[in-house]
Amino acid sequence: MRQLSLILLLACTACSAAGPEAPPAASAPLAVTAPPPGLPAQMRALVGTAACTDSAQCKTVPLGARACGGPEGYLAYSTSVTQAAPLQALAERYAQQQREANARSGMASTCQFIADPGAQCRAGACVLGTTGPEAR
C-alpha cells in the first residue's frame, strides 16, 4: 500500500511539473466571424435607455445571425424613444454581415432556436422578457 501511495504521488508530481499547456493559437476563421464592433454599438446608442411608461411601448429587435439560422439574441427598445425603421435597418445590416462571415468561414453553431422573449416595461425602461435569453 505504501508503494502504491508513493507511485501515485510521483505520478501526480510529474503531471503538475510539466506546466500548463499553451493556449491554442487563434485561427483565421475565428477572426473573420467576429462581429463588426460598430453596428451593435450603433444599435445600443440608438436605443439609449429605452425609457417607457407602459409595456405596450416596448419591442424587440433581433441581434446578429447564427450559422445555423436565426438571431443570436434580442435587444429591447422603446417605441417612445427609438424609431423602429432605422434600428431594424441596422439590425438587418448586422445580421447580413454575420451571415456572410459565417458562410466565408464555414462556421457552425448549435441549431437551437432562440425564441423572441418579448419586452416589458420595468422601472421605467424596456427590458427583455423573462422567458428568453439575454441580449448580448
Side-chain angles (χ1 to χ4, degrees):
M1 182 70 161
R2 187 174 174 186
Q3 286 180 333
L4 181 60
S5 296
L6 183 59
I7 291 172
L8 289 174
L9 179 64
L10 289 173
C12 289
T13 304
C15 290
S16 64
E21 291 183 23
S27 62
L30 291 177
V32 171
T33 59
L39 292 177
Q42 287 177 36
M43 291 171 68
R44 284 184 172 76
L46 198 57
V47 167
T49 60
C52 60
T53 56
D54 185 73
S55 287
Q57 297 170 324
C58 299
K59 305 289 182 200
T60 59
V61 64
L63 284 176
R66 294 166 44 133
C68 198
E72 62 186 26
Y74 293 86
L75 178 64
Y77 71 96
S78 172
T79 58
S80 69
V81 177
T82 304
Q83 293 181 358
L87 180 61
Q88 289 177 352
L90 285 174
E92 181 51 40
R93 214 167 100 205
Y94 178 49
Q96 184 60 36
Q97 286 180 353
Q98 281 199 308
R99 282 191 292 270
E100 290 169 0
N102 289 340
R104 280 192 308 270
S105 70
M107 176 64 82
S109 70
T110 63
C111 292
Q112 177 184 12
F113 176 72
I114 299 178
D116 185 339
Q120 302 168 348
C121 185
R122 288 196 203 132
C126 292
V127 296
L128 291 178
T130 58
T131 60
E134 294 291 323
R136 297 181 185 197

